[in-house]
Amino acid sequence: MTAALTVQDLQAGVESAAAAEFFDSLPPIGVPEMIGRWRGSEVPSGHPMDGLLAVSGWYGKEFVDADHVHPLLFGEPGRLYAVNPKVMPIVTLNRLGERFPRWLPPGGQSAFRGLRTRKHRARLRPVEYRGVVSTAMVYDDLPIIDNFRKLDEDTLFGAMDLRGSDAPYFFLLQRDGR
């Protein structure tokens, strides 16, 4: 059994197998506990997508209710905007893996402003993942399910299950405004 890991441990990086084992040790979370806006950060684990969200300017996610979710928020507090994940090259970026540069040209993050949406692009549903039923975010238009477990009252550990990926992509969400 993996020892309890802290947010700092996870953000510093952990091997994929250890991250998965720690994820499995955490309790499930219900939809009502997830409502609100959450700031995201990556958990480097050797996944091909490690580093991509950080350089893109990803902020986090917003769960309005079970049927209304903004899965990708960008910008800064006071100037946040939702991006349509259908037009983001997530599946392609995963395939490119290590060959994809972990930087954007000057002003590159502002390119995502052109992908803004007001529509909610995901839903929350109970899903069995790795033997436990917990709340998951199901994307409307992509073969991706973000599975969540509760690290503490204000921190979620996420495992992105992307069709075609050999291992989950791990990330953290920390509640805004508490």
Side-chain angles (χ1 to χ4, degrees), residues 23-177:
F23 181 88
D24 291 346
S25 76
L26 297 173
I29 186 162
V31 170
E33 298 170 271
M34 293 182 59
I35 302 305
R37 188 173 65 205
W38 298 76
R39 177 132 195 165
S41 60
E42 296 181 301
V43 174
S45 64
H47 192 278
M49 287 181 55
D50 284 356
L52 294 175
L53 285 176
V55 300
S56 72
W58 176 60
Y59 181 84
K61 301 178 181 294
E62 184 175 28
F63 308 111
V64 178
D65 59 38
D67 290 312
H68 299 93
V69 174
H70 288 298
L72 295 176
L73 293 179
F74 287 82
E76 293 297 324
R79 295 187 327 208
L80 292 174
Y81 56 93
V83 167
N84 182 353
K86 184 177 181 178
V87 296
M88 293 282 295
I90 295 172
V91 175
T92 302
L93 293 176
N94 182 61
R95 286 190 195 126
L96 292 174
E98 295 302 319
R99 295 176 299 214
F100 190 84
R102 297 305 192 253
W103 57 271
L104 291 175
Q109 292 179 2
S110 65
F112 296 119
R113 288 189 185 124
L115 307 177
R116 288 182 188 203
T117 185
R118 292 185 187 270
K119 292 182 180 180
H120 299 91
R121 301 293 181 159
R123 300 171 289 152
L124 295 175
R125 294 292 185 265
V127 170
E128 183 177 335
Y129 179 70
R130 300 181 61 86
V132 174
V133 175
S134 188
T135 299
M137 185 187 79
V138 181
Y139 284 78
D140 290 346
D141 299 307
L142 296 173
I144 299 173
I145 299 175
D146 288 346
N147 300 278
F148 299 102
R149 300 284 177 85
K150 185 176 179 177
L151 190 58
D152 62 42
E153 292 301 316
D154 294 317
T155 311
L156 304 178
F157 193 24
M160 182 175 82
D161 182 18
L162 170 64
R163 184 184 306 273
S165 184
D166 293 337
Y169 171 73
F170 293 102
F171 61 96
L172 291 168
L173 294 178
Q174 293 178 291
R175 189 183 302 277
D176 264 3

